Amino acid sequence: MVRKLYTRPRAGAPQRSPAKADRLGSFRGANLWLSLALVFATFAVYARVAQFSFVNYDDPDYAKAITVTRAFTSTEAANWFPITRLSHSLDVLLFGMDAGWHHLTSVAIHAVAAVLLFLFLLAATGTRGPSAFVAFVFALHPLHVESVAWVAERKDVLCAFFWFLALWAYVRRKPWLVLAAFLLGLMSKPMIVTLPFVLLLLDFWPLKRGLRVREKLPLFALAAAGAAVTYFVQHAAGAVKPVGAPAITNALLSYVWYIGKTLWPAGLACFYPYPAGIPLWQAILAAAVLAAVTAAVLRAFPTRPYLAVGWFWFLGTLVPVIGLVQVGAQAHADRYMYVPMVGLAVMAAWGTCDLMRSRPRILAPLAAAVCLACAVASWVQTGYWQNSGALFSHALEVTDGNYIAEHNLGSYLMDQHGQLESAVAHLRRAVELRPDSGPVHSDLGSALAKSPGGLAEAIAELQTAVRLLPDSPIPRENLAHALVDAAQQHYQSGMSLAHAGRATEATAEFSEALRLDPSLAEAHNNLGVVLSQIPGRGSEAIAHFREALRLRPDYEDARYNLNLALHANPVR
């Protein structure tokens, strides 16, 4: 029997000659080695995260074990992503709170996502070199460090994993797998709502199937449902801000900023403060740049369709997080480029191949140099995520007016031996930058309460925090502890004054202790003692002895003092 080597391609599939198909078949081993190289390179860059700790920025909200029911009903952190929550819960069940294993799980998912991206592009285009380059850039670019090295951003790597799985399934004509991957992606991070739009782009290039909208209607329906759920959850949590002119101008500048950081990823930080104001000319210039590029790629579409597909991939996938619907206080974020950067990488990869068609030998060394530069920069950037101190210290070095960095660095230093003074300084700066932030006032109050002579100011800060966060138990608990501590200080001062025979001053100290903590039975008793030594104040002393006994019925000293006071001040 003669074995059939080639089959007729299905309608709409990329047309390949038998010779080309044979070349691809012979390179299956190379595809395997490239996939393994992607995994190896990813772990080589990120391996040291195994020694990293959790950071105090969102990690405590995610790295915890919860039930399946809770995962599907929780809207903590103003989001609904049950798959992500279950992923964190599984880590806790398997590894406990060993942060290194949580980090390595994210690295592993990132590596697999890079392999899926490579396989998708290879299946869609039939070109190995550009496909591998895009995948390596995805795996190694410094803008992606935040998504991989931050445990709380597990949702990013999970979302990308399902995203690229759906794209591969779409090229391989597995509609059930596309739908399943999309649904799981929506439950990992709702940014995947733009996937149907990306599939439409792929219909133009490289698949050349023609626009197919009807088959994607179920995906658009799921995307609409996912977007609605996300909006309502975030709106209910108060995370959504009204759209206005500042949001539009910031969105325009952010698009250009993302392009710039892709090309030159220096000065990266975990948080970029929202600008106080953006000059109109900057917004106009950014809009002109975006319009010019859009016009250029559309003009080149007949001969270089990958430029338009890559460009609209970049523009479109950023829409949910570009700030037109502002969620959070950041102007932009490295993690938002996790999937959108693929569009720019596609433009660069296939565009460079076209430009260097006459000198193909340069392509491999050039691609290797770019990937090596990305790996080195990512290695350095990863180091900043080793703990909260390194992370936020670096953020303060590369940004201005960063209240998040000041706050979290201060909170971190507050728990480090010998760093209390520095912690208070950073928290004071955070209050200056964001005076309406209850958590900042709360942490400053807690730090001041631990500082010598800082209790009075601590109480004022905690009272402000309670006013700003009326439903939060933490500031109230901290305020209660601070009031008790301050009352004890005044009580001890009163005792010293009383032993020194300074009854009037002791009275003032005991009275202040009771103002701060009316339940302090010892202060009532000893205030009664000093009042009984002041002519004409015996009745007040009796009242305090009685209150001490009401608070502590077995308080024998107060009972003895009450009897003495009653004998000295008989009722007439």
Side-chain angles (χ1 to χ4, degrees), residues 6 110 299:
Y6 305 109
H110 174 63
R299 189 179 305 114

Side-chain angles (χ1 to χ4, degrees), residues 42-216:
T42 300
F43 273 92
V45 169
Y46 287 104
R48 57 180 174 161
V49 299
Q51 307 301 320
F52 289 4
S53 61
F54 295 114
V55 297
N56 60 5
Y57 189 28
D58 288 353
D59 278 357
D61 295 330
Y62 290 89
K64 55 188 178 183
I66 59 176
T67 64
V68 174
T69 301
R70 180 62 179 162
F72 278 87
T73 58
S74 173
T75 58
E76 292 179 63
N79 271 300
W80 181 77
F81 27 55
I83 298 300
T84 295
R85 297 192 192 282
L86 288 174
S87 169
H88 287 296
S89 185
L90 181 60
D91 274 1
V92 174
L93 292 175
L94 292 175
F95 313 123
M97 295 307 292
D98 184 340
W101 285 105
H102 292 249
H103 282 296
L104 288 176
T105 301
S106 293
V107 175
I109 298 171
H110 174 63
V112 175
V115 172
L116 284 173
L117 175 60
F118 167 60
L119 296 178
F120 145 65
L121 289 171
L122 181 64
T125 67
T127 52
R128 177 173 294 100
S131 300
F133 175 77
V134 172
F136 272 95
V137 168
F138 173 82
L140 304 176
H141 199 282
L143 271 181
H144 293 167
V145 169
E146 179 172 287
S147 296
V148 182
W150 188 5
V151 170
E153 280 307 308
R154 172 71 57 77
K155 52 186 177 285
D156 261 3
V157 293
L158 280 172
C159 178
F161 169 82
F162 290 118
W163 197 318
F164 299 148
L165 177 61
L167 294 181
W168 176 84
Y170 183 70
V171 174
R172 304 297 296 181
R173 296 181 178 276
K174 301 179 184 294
W176 60 270
L177 184 55
V178 174
L179 190 64
F182 183 46
L183 182 59
L184 292 170
L186 283 171
M187 292 190 288
S188 301
K189 184 176 182 178
M191 189 174 170
I192 200 175
V193 291
T194 56
L195 174 66
F197 163 77
V198 172
L199 297 182
L200 290 176
L201 292 176
L202 297 180
D203 287 343
F204 287 104
W205 181 90
L207 302 180
K208 300 179 182 178
R209 295 175 175 173
L211 193 59
R212 298 185 175 190
V213 177
R214 181 177 298 178
E215 68 181 18
K216 300 175 182 64

